Amino acid sequence: MEYIVFDLEWNQSSGGNEYENPRMPFEIIEIGAVKLDKKLNIIDTYSSIVRPRLYKKLQPHIKAILSYDEKTLRSGRPFDMVCREFLKWCGDDYIFCSWGSMDLSYLQNNMDYYYMKPFPTPLKYYNIQQIYADIEDADGAIVKLEKAVDHLYIPKDRPFHSAVNDAYYTSLVLSQLAPKDLQDRYSYDVYHNPKEKDDEIVSYHKNYLEHITREYNNKKEAVADKEVLTLYCYRCGRKVSKKVKWFANTGNSYICVGKCWHHGLMTGKIRFKQTRDDKIFIIKTVVPTDKRGLEGIRKRQDELRIKRQEKRHAKNSSYTDDLILEDPLD
Ligand SMILES: [Zn+2]
């Protein structure tokens, strides 16, 4: 199997939202990629400019970082032609790698716009930005590509913000990290998220469990599903009892702590994700923690409780829908 490390440049409407086509808010103008063999050696590169159909004028912020202009874009070829050529270049046995999750999402959105055949689902890929964060940063903080390149002392011998160069740098970050357990560090793309119960994705990794649920009409309907709030051990898959019940950690996520009799303490997290047609699905992760982690989460829960009481007091009002959702869920 080969690794296709790819990167895209895209343009947006320079006339603001009202001139934006909602079917393709981000139009790809360049596809660049590097092909790596099993040992992460570069064996080929791909680079093409795409002639835009919707947004022919470069948006000022985008123009400022690119090394080419509208004239170069006019010399490009239509997206569907370039994309077909790119996918043919990828070969029959490959996995995508990219810096972050956006490129894969925009690629599929542009393919949809041109009514191209979608990738089979579920689609696995390697998010190198995430892998870098997990290995190099204790807090798992997400950083820009150039910062990672600096941090790893990779020579900066070509300009950033060209698709093929950024793909090249991303591939060097990957080959420098070369984690032994790379096979276990895959992600699932959620551009085409699971719709029904049967499409749900449950993936057991060495040190965490990820569950991507079906669609719900709204958050309330999602959290009313008992399955969503049940915590399973990341190692043995058994249902675990909770030490800290689910609570709203941010506006868009809940956390809890559970304990497996055999495998100890673990943190559960659910994140609400919005689909393109305004529905909701959930990404639930379960990762191991320890006593310190448990205390940290208890502290966080207390702080949030106090904040909420202060807010309620200040408003001098009773419960609102918003607050009911913030209460423990089970
Ligand atoms: Zn267990």
Side-chain angles (χ1 to χ4, degrees):
M1 191 192 60
E2 284 154 354
Y3 299 90
I4 304 293
V5 187
F6 79 104
D7 188 84
L8 308 168
E9 299 302 323
W10 56 77
N11 188 25
Q12 287 172 268
S13 158
S14 53
N17 288 353
E18 59 181 302
Y19 296 99
E20 180 181 292
N21 184 322
R23 284 196 59 228
M24 186 162 69
F26 301 93
E27 184 169 32
I28 294 167
I29 50 175
E30 189 185 358
I31 299 180
V34 171
K35 193 182 278 182
L36 306 178
D37 66 11
K38 296 198 281 251
K39 292 182 171 162
L40 306 178
N41 299 307
I42 295 178
I43 50 173
D44 203 0
T45 59
Y46 178 88
S47 175
S48 268
I49 294 284
V50 174
R51 185 167 67 223
R53 179 183 282 185
L54 291 183
Y55 315 124
K56 291 173 185 164
K57 198 166 168 250
L58 284 165
Q59 211 250 358
H61 296 294
I62 293 167
K63 192 166 184 162
I65 58 168
L66 290 180
S67 56
Y68 48 83
D69 59 10
E70 287 86 350
K71 207 179 141 198
T72 311
L73 293 185
R74 283 198 291 276
S75 72
R77 292 169 298 151
F79 175 81
D80 45 353
M81 191 187 278
V82 171
C83 189
R84 279 198 184 91
E85 179 187 79
F86 167 60
L87 295 177
K88 199 173 164 201
W89 174 84
C90 290
D92 300 321
D93 187 19
Y94 67 89
I95 186 162
F96 281 132
C97 309
S98 61
W99 192 258
S101 62
M102 296 318 287
D103 291 75
L104 200 45
S105 180
Y106 294 162
L107 179 66
Q108 293 177 90
N109 172 258
N110 280 230
M111 286 166 69
D112 276 356
Y113 180 84
Y114 286 90
Y115 301 102
M116 291 177 66
K117 196 175 144 206
F119 296 124
T121 55
L123 179 62
K124 273 186 186 179
Y125 74 107
Y126 291 111
N127 180 341
I128 310 303
Q129 187 182 42
Q130 189 61 57
I131 293 173
Y132 171 84
D134 291 342
I135 293 174
E136 292 294 315
D137 192 311
D139 301 324
I142 294 300
V143 300
K144 283 193 170 167
L145 177 59
E146 188 166 359
K147 202 171 165 197
V149 166
D150 285 337
H151 181 78
L152 295 173
Y153 300 105
I154 293 168
K156 295 198 278 186
D157 51 6
R158 47 189 92 181
F160 284 83
H161 303 299
S162 121
V164 68
N165 290 355
D166 287 4
Y168 165 78
Y169 284 124
T170 304
S171 78
L172 293 186
V173 170
L174 172 62
S175 58
Q176 192 129 325
L177 294 173
K180 284 202 178 72
D181 59 349
L182 178 62
Q183 306 309 324
D184 188 57
R185 292 176 180 269
Y186 61 86
S187 299
Y188 277 106
D189 169 69
V190 290
Y191 176 79
H192 291 291
N193 61 284
K195 304 268 182 253
E196 308 290 337
K197 185 90 195 149
D198 283 350
D199 313 326
E200 291 197 356
I201 298 167
V202 178
S203 57
Y204 282 89
H205 296 253
K206 205 176 63 199
N207 232 4
Y208 73 99
L209 165 62
E210 185 179 52
H211 178 187
I212 306 170
T213 72
R214 66 182 174 90
E215 280 182 358
Y216 300 92
N217 287 313
N218 50 51
K219 284 187 187 177
K220 255 185 184 161
E221 189 187 299
V223 297
D225 184 344
K226 283 221 165 67
E227 194 60 24
V228 164
L229 301 180
T230 305
L231 199 68
Y232 296 97
C233 174
Y234 70 98
R235 290 273 300 275
C236 65
R238 262 173 270 193
K239 206 169 149 176
V240 301
S241 59
K242 301 207 181 74
K243 303 290 272 181
V244 178
K245 290 178 177 181
W246 290 106
F247 67 95
N249 183 38
T250 66
N252 230 11
S253 70
Y254 282 83
I255 49 176
C256 78
V257 181
K259 188 178 182 181
C260 170
W261 194 250
H262 299 279
H263 303 108
L265 293 166
M266 54 202 74
T267 308
K269 189 174 186 183
I270 54 183
R271 277 173 296 149
F272 297 100
K273 295 278 175 184
Q274 200 159 14
T275 69
R276 276 160 284 138
D277 41 9
D278 280 338
K279 293 195 172 184
I280 293 285
F281 68 99
I282 284 169
I283 300 184
K284 177 163 70 174
T285 51
V286 186
V287 298
T289 188
D290 53 17
K291 274 192 173 153
R292 248 182 83 199
L294 170 66
E295 287 318 311
I297 287 173
R298 280 199 171 127
K299 213 177 132 200
R300 169 91 181 136
Q301 190 182 26
D302 287 341
E303 284 166 5
L304 288 170
R305 199 175 281 148
I306 291 165
K307 244 189 213 167
R308 216 160 53 215
Q309 278 163 358
E310 283 171 356
K311 222 163 126 186
R312 212 175 292 164
H313 193 70
K315 276 190 188 161
N316 194 21
S317 64
S318 55
Y319 285 95
T320 65
D321 273 348
D322 187 39
L323 292 169
I324 291 164
L325 252 183
E326 278 181 5
D327 278 344
L329 293 166
D330 57 355

